[in-house]
Amino acid sequence: MLYFPRWKIFLIVAICVLGTILTLPNFFSRETLSALPNWYAHNRVNLGLDLRGGSHLLLEVDMGAVIRDRVEGLVDSARTQLRNDNVGYTAITPGDRGITVQLRDPAQADTAVRALRQLANTIGGGPLGGGQPDLEVTSGGGSVTARLSEIALRERATQAIEQSIEIVRRRIDETGVNEPTIARQGADRILVQLPGVEDPDRVKRLLGTTAKMTFRLVDMNADPSAGRAPPGTDILPSAEGGRAQSAYVIRKKVEVDGANLTNATAGSNPQTGEWVVNFEFDSIGARRFADVTRANVGRPFAIVLDNKVISAPVIREPITGGRGQISGSFTAADANDLAVLLRAGALPAPLKVIEERTVGPDLGADSIRAGLMSVGIGFVLVCAYMIAAYGLFGAFACFALLVNTVLTLAALSLLQATLTLPGIAGVLLSLGLAVDANILINERIREETKKGRGVFGSVEAGFSRAYSTIVDANLTTAIKMAILFVLGTGAIKGFAVTITFGILISLFTATVLVRLMMVSWLRKTRPAALPV
């Protein structure tokens, strides 16, 4: 128990030195870090929103828009399906959760029900089936109604939230924000925390834009100033500005969907010098784009973004390469933002900012000073007590606490974790948990000394008999921290992580490092009595 081979001593010292090296980048200036290798300079603890400052946004997903999209799709699909099954109808009326079809012949109600049931999507189930249709189709009074079921509404809400979180994360990553917090909150809300963001308005514009892009033909025979769109068309406003017309009559049929885009980059037109967005399609989109442009040479082809026409160029020749260009009086920032939106993909529904808070960097600096001061004062008080109670062995415990703090910071740096105020509280609490192990060991050594054991025997008995108690106490705390990490979000997870690292590292510093220091002192001085 008290014997340390040379390789073990070397390993213990190497761990302490390596931890110190990994901690150092946190104390370097930006100028110094720029001169260091990237693999080393990037191993730093990132400061959270409450320490660094930044933006806090709470977004709400418009679930009504999700349902409306499904209902609008049902209208078009129902027309096609009823026509294929030779079912006559006088009107298809969209509602809040479905559609109602008025039949010409009530005797065809059963046929219409079977036709509309074919439009249902399967929810749940697995590879072997067992799912449920998302439509409830009923008939009566010469009409047939297809409504989204309650299960379908919940499923669509879950899918919309998950998809929105993923797309929000892609858009934030494109802006270069380090360590953002993006999490679901409640049934239809998304929490976004962006440390260090200096332009929250730009982020709000990026997140508030649905970015649903479609390519549709312009109806050249209709006049948008008439105020009424012919059947199968929409009157959409123009976002081009300048000398472009203020509105267009656009066909509802989507020729090419923006979901088929694979890349979008901002650039400049070498001929005009204006900013443009270059885009590329996947194989399906490229084939559709080529077919449409080949069949409609000489006609305007509208690029529609969130129900606004951002460009409506005339097709001069077939475009078969799967590449295109969007122009529209863009500034450099507008072109880059549009490229970000197209690369990240379209949101399933609009997002509305319902809560916004901005934390200034000055407040963050005050929090850092207060947090560091609390850790420093706590460390000094703990060390003062340990030295007063246990003398030299208490001083060994204080050095182990310092190493514990350094190794905890090194572990957080290696993971590039985010440190928040609760995280600093976790570091302070972990100091108290770490010193508990040394108190147990020293008290056990003191008891063995009072029983008349020798110097080496008391130390060996103190460590061996206290070890199981230390492991049990730390294991129960680690389990609680694991539960907090799984069930908590944001700052709660940061608190759990710092406590867990402190617990695991304290097992090393209290039972291995302190024992090494005690044994080295005992072998060197051979005291007649222990200083406890």
Coordinates of all heavy atoms in Angstrom, one line a residue, residues 150-191:
E150 N -55.6 13.1 -34.0 CA -54.9 13.7 -32.9 C -53.4 13.2 -32.9 O -52.5 13.9 -32.6 CB -55.6 13.4 -31.6 CG -56.9 14.1 -31.4 CD -56.7 15.6 -31.3 OE1 -55.6 16.0 -30.9 OE2 -57.7 16.3 -31.6
I151 N -53.3 11.9 -33.2 CA -51.9 11.3 -33.2 C -51.1 12.0 -34.3 O -49.9 12.3 -34.1 CB -52.0 9.8 -33.4 CG1 -52.8 9.1 -32.3 CG2 -50.6 9.2 -33.6 CD1 -52.9 7.6 -32.5
A152 N -51.7 12.3 -35.4 CA -51.0 12.9 -36.5 C -50.6 14.3 -36.1 O -49.5 14.8 -36.4 CB -51.9 13.0 -37.7
L153 N -51.4 15.0 -35.4 CA -51.1 16.4 -35.0 C -49.9 16.4 -34.0 O -49.0 17.2 -34.2 CB -52.3 17.0 -34.3 CG -53.5 17.3 -35.2 CD1 -54.6 17.9 -34.3 CD2 -53.1 18.3 -36.3
R154 N -49.9 15.4 -33.1 CA -48.8 15.3 -32.1 C -47.5 14.9 -32.9 O -46.4 15.5 -32.6 CB -49.1 14.3 -31.0 CG -50.2 14.8 -30.1 CD -50.2 14.0 -28.8 NE -50.5 12.6 -29.1 CZ -51.7 12.1 -29.1 NH1 -52.7 12.9 -28.8 NH2 -51.9 10.8 -29.3
E155 N -47.6 14.0 -33.8 CA -46.5 13.5 -34.6 C -45.9 14.7 -35.4 O -44.6 14.8 -35.5 CB -46.9 12.4 -35.5 CG -45.7 11.8 -36.3 CD -44.8 10.9 -35.5 OE1 -45.1 10.6 -34.3 OE2 -43.7 10.6 -36.0
R156 N -46.8 15.4 -36.1 CA -46.3 16.6 -36.9 C -45.6 17.6 -36.0 O -44.7 18.3 -36.4 CB -47.4 17.1 -37.7 CG -47.8 16.3 -38.9 CD -48.7 17.0 -39.9 NE -48.7 16.2 -41.1 CZ -47.8 16.4 -42.1 NH1 -46.9 17.3 -42.0 NH2 -47.8 15.7 -43.2
A157 N -46.2 17.9 -34.8 CA -45.6 18.8 -33.9 C -44.2 18.4 -33.5 O -43.2 19.2 -33.5 CB -46.5 19.0 -32.7
T158 N -44.0 17.1 -33.2 CA -42.7 16.6 -32.8 C -41.7 16.7 -33.9 O -40.6 17.1 -33.8 CB -42.8 15.1 -32.3 OG1 -43.7 15.1 -31.2 CG2 -41.5 14.6 -31.9
Q159 N -42.2 16.3 -35.1 CA -41.3 16.4 -36.3 C -40.9 17.8 -36.6 O -39.7 18.1 -36.9 CB -41.9 15.7 -37.5 CG -42.1 14.2 -37.4 CD -42.9 13.6 -38.6 OE1 -43.4 14.4 -39.4 NE2 -42.9 12.3 -38.6
A160 N -41.8 18.7 -36.5 CA -41.5 20.1 -36.8 C -40.5 20.7 -35.8 O -39.6 21.4 -36.2 CB -42.8 21.0 -36.8
I161 N -40.7 20.4 -34.5 CA -39.7 20.9 -33.5 C -38.3 20.3 -33.8 O -37.3 21.0 -33.8 CB -40.2 20.5 -32.1 CG1 -41.4 21.4 -31.7 CG2 -39.1 20.7 -31.1 CD1 -41.1 22.8 -31.5
E162 N -38.2 19.0 -34.0 CA -36.9 18.3 -34.2 C -36.3 18.9 -35.5 O -35.1 19.1 -35.5 CB -37.1 16.8 -34.3 CG -37.5 16.2 -33.0 CD -37.8 14.7 -33.1 OE1 -37.8 14.2 -34.3 OE2 -38.0 14.0 -32.1
Q163 N -37.0 19.0 -36.6 CA -36.5 19.5 -37.8 C -36.0 21.0 -37.6 O -35.0 21.4 -38.1 CB -37.5 19.4 -38.9 CG -36.9 19.7 -40.3 CD -37.9 19.6 -41.4 OE1 -39.0 19.0 -41.2 NE2 -37.6 20.0 -42.6
S164 N -36.9 21.8 -36.9 CA -36.5 23.2 -36.7 C -35.2 23.3 -35.9 O -34.4 24.2 -36.2 CB -37.7 23.9 -36.0 OG -38.8 23.9 -36.8
I165 N -35.1 22.5 -34.9 CA -33.9 22.5 -34.0 C -32.6 22.2 -34.9 O -31.6 22.9 -34.8 CB -34.0 21.5 -32.9 CG1 -35.0 22.1 -31.8 CG2 -32.6 21.3 -32.2 CD1 -35.3 21.1 -30.7
E166 N -32.7 21.2 -35.7 CA -31.6 20.8 -36.6 C -31.2 22.0 -37.6 O -30.1 22.3 -37.8 CB -31.9 19.6 -37.4 CG -30.8 19.1 -38.3 CD -29.5 18.7 -37.5 OE1 -29.6 18.4 -36.4 OE2 -28.5 18.9 -38.1
I167 N -32.2 22.6 -38.2 CA -32.0 23.6 -39.1 C -31.5 24.9 -38.4 O -30.6 25.6 -38.9 CB -33.3 23.9 -40.0 CG1 -33.6 22.7 -40.9 CG2 -33.1 25.2 -40.8 CD1 -34.9 22.8 -41.6
V168 N -32.0 25.2 -37.3 CA -31.5 26.3 -36.5 C -30.0 26.1 -36.1 O -29.2 27.0 -36.2 CB -32.4 26.5 -35.2 CG1 -31.6 27.5 -34.2 CG2 -33.7 27.1 -35.6
R169 N -29.7 24.9 -35.8 CA -28.3 24.6 -35.4 C -27.4 24.8 -36.7 O -26.3 25.3 -36.5 CB -28.2 23.1 -34.9 CG -26.8 22.7 -34.5 CD -26.8 21.4 -33.8 NE -27.3 21.4 -32.5 CZ -28.4 20.9 -32.1 NH1 -29.2 20.3 -33.0 NH2 -28.8 21.0 -30.9
R170 N -27.9 24.3 -37.8 CA -27.1 24.5 -39.0 C -26.9 26.0 -39.3 O -25.7 26.4 -39.7 CB -27.8 23.9 -40.2 CG -27.8 22.3 -40.2 CD -28.4 21.9 -41.5 NE -29.0 20.5 -41.4 CZ -29.9 20.0 -42.2 NH1 -30.3 20.7 -43.3 NH2 -30.4 18.8 -42.0
R171 N -27.9 26.8 -39.2 CA -27.8 28.2 -39.5 C -26.9 28.9 -38.5 O -26.1 29.8 -38.9 CB -29.2 28.9 -39.5 CG -30.1 28.4 -40.6 CD -31.4 29.1 -40.6 NE -32.3 28.6 -41.6 CZ -33.5 29.1 -41.8 NH1 -34.0 30.1 -41.1 NH2 -34.3 28.6 -42.8
I172 N -27.0 28.5 -37.2 CA -26.1 29.1 -36.2 C -24.6 28.7 -36.5 O -23.7 29.6 -36.4 CB -26.5 28.7 -34.8 CG1 -27.9 29.3 -34.5 CG2 -25.5 29.2 -33.8 CD1 -28.0 30.8 -34.5
D173 N -24.4 27.5 -36.8 CA -23.0 27.0 -37.1 C -22.4 27.8 -38.3 O -21.2 28.0 -38.3 CB -23.0 25.5 -37.4 CG -23.3 24.7 -36.2 OD1 -23.2 25.2 -35.1 OD2 -23.7 23.5 -36.3
E174 N -23.3 28.1 -39.3 CA -22.8 28.9 -40.4 C -22.3 30.3 -40.0 O -21.4 30.9 -40.7 CB -23.9 29.0 -41.5 CG -24.2 27.7 -42.2 CD -23.2 27.3 -43.3 OE1 -22.3 28.1 -43.6 OE2 -23.4 26.3 -43.9
T175 N -22.8 30.8 -38.9 CA -22.4 32.2 -38.5 C -21.1 32.2 -37.7 O -20.6 33.2 -37.4 CB -23.5 32.8 -37.7 OG1 -23.7 32.1 -36.4 CG2 -24.8 32.9 -38.4
G176 N -20.7 31.0 -37.3 CA -19.4 30.9 -36.6 C -19.5 31.1 -35.1 O -18.5 31.3 -34.4
V177 N -20.7 31.0 -34.5 CA -20.8 31.2 -33.1 C -20.3 29.9 -32.4 O -20.7 28.8 -32.7 CB -22.3 31.4 -32.7 CG1 -22.5 31.5 -31.2 CG2 -22.8 32.7 -33.4
N178 N -19.4 30.1 -31.4 CA -18.9 29.0 -30.6 C -19.8 28.6 -29.5 O -20.4 29.4 -28.8 CB -17.5 29.4 -30.0 CG -16.5 29.6 -31.1 OD1 -16.4 28.8 -32.1 ND2 -15.6 30.5 -30.9
E179 N -20.0 27.3 -29.3 CA -20.7 26.7 -28.2 C -22.1 27.3 -28.0 O -22.4 27.7 -26.9 CB -19.9 26.8 -27.0 CG -18.6 26.0 -26.9 CD -18.9 24.5 -27.0 OE1 -19.9 24.1 -26.4 OE2 -18.1 23.8 -27.6
P180 N -23.0 27.3 -29.1 CA -24.3 27.8 -28.8 C -25.1 26.7 -28.1 O -24.8 25.5 -28.1 CB -24.9 28.0 -30.2 CG -24.1 27.0 -31.1 CD -22.7 26.9 -30.5
T181 N -26.1 27.2 -27.4 CA -27.1 26.3 -26.7 C -28.4 26.3 -27.5 O -29.0 27.3 -27.6 CB -27.3 26.7 -25.2 OG1 -26.1 26.6 -24.5 CG2 -28.3 25.8 -24.6
I182 N -28.8 25.2 -28.0 CA -30.0 25.0 -28.8 C -30.8 23.8 -28.3 O -30.3 22.7 -28.4 CB -29.7 24.9 -30.3 CG1 -28.9 26.0 -30.8 CG2 -31.0 24.8 -31.1 CD1 -28.3 25.8 -32.2
A183 N -31.9 24.1 -27.6 CA -32.6 23.0 -27.0 C -34.1 23.2 -27.1 O -34.6 24.4 -27.1 CB -32.2 22.9 -25.5
R184 N -34.9 22.1 -27.1 CA -36.3 22.2 -27.0 C -36.8 22.6 -25.7 O -36.3 22.2 -24.6 CB -36.9 20.8 -27.4 CG -38.5 20.8 -27.4 CD -39.0 19.5 -27.9 NE -40.4 19.5 -28.0 CZ -41.2 18.5 -28.5 NH1 -40.5 17.5 -29.0 NH2 -42.5 18.6 -28.5
Q185 N -37.8 23.5 -25.6 CA -38.4 23.9 -24.4 C -39.9 23.9 -24.5 O -40.5 24.6 -25.3 CB -37.9 25.3 -24.0 CG -38.2 25.7 -22.6 CD -37.5 27.0 -22.2 OE1 -38.0 28.0 -22.4 NE2 -36.4 26.8 -21.5
G186 N -40.5 23.0 -23.8 CA -42.0 22.8 -23.9 C -42.4 22.1 -25.1 O -41.6 21.4 -25.8
A187 N -43.7 22.3 -25.5 CA -44.2 21.6 -26.6 C -43.8 22.1 -28.0 O -43.6 21.4 -29.0 CB -45.8 21.5 -26.5
D188 N -43.7 23.5 -28.1 CA -43.5 24.1 -29.4 C -42.5 25.2 -29.4 O -42.6 26.2 -30.2 CB -44.8 24.6 -30.0 CG -45.5 25.6 -29.1 OD1 -45.0 25.8 -27.9 OD2 -46.5 26.1 -29.5
R189 N -41.5 25.2 -28.4 CA -40.6 26.3 -28.3 C -39.1 25.8 -28.3 O -38.8 24.7 -28.0 CB -40.8 27.1 -27.0 CG -42.2 27.8 -27.0 CD -42.4 28.6 -25.7 NE -43.7 29.2 -25.8 CZ -44.2 30.0 -24.8 NH1 -43.4 30.2 -23.7 NH2 -45.3 30.6 -24.9
I190 N -38.2 26.7 -28.8 CA -36.8 26.4 -28.9 C -36.0 27.4 -28.2 O -36.2 28.6 -28.5 CB -36.4 26.3 -30.4 CG1 -37.2 25.2 -31.1 CG2 -34.9 26.0 -30.5 CD1 -37.0 25.2 -32.6
L191 N -35.1 27.0 -27.3 CA -34.3 27.9 -26.6 C -32.9 28.1 -27.3 O -32.3 27.0 -27.6 CB -34.0 27.5 -25.2 CG -33.0 28.2 -24.3 CD1 -33.5 29.6 -24.0 CD2 -32.7 27.5 -23.0

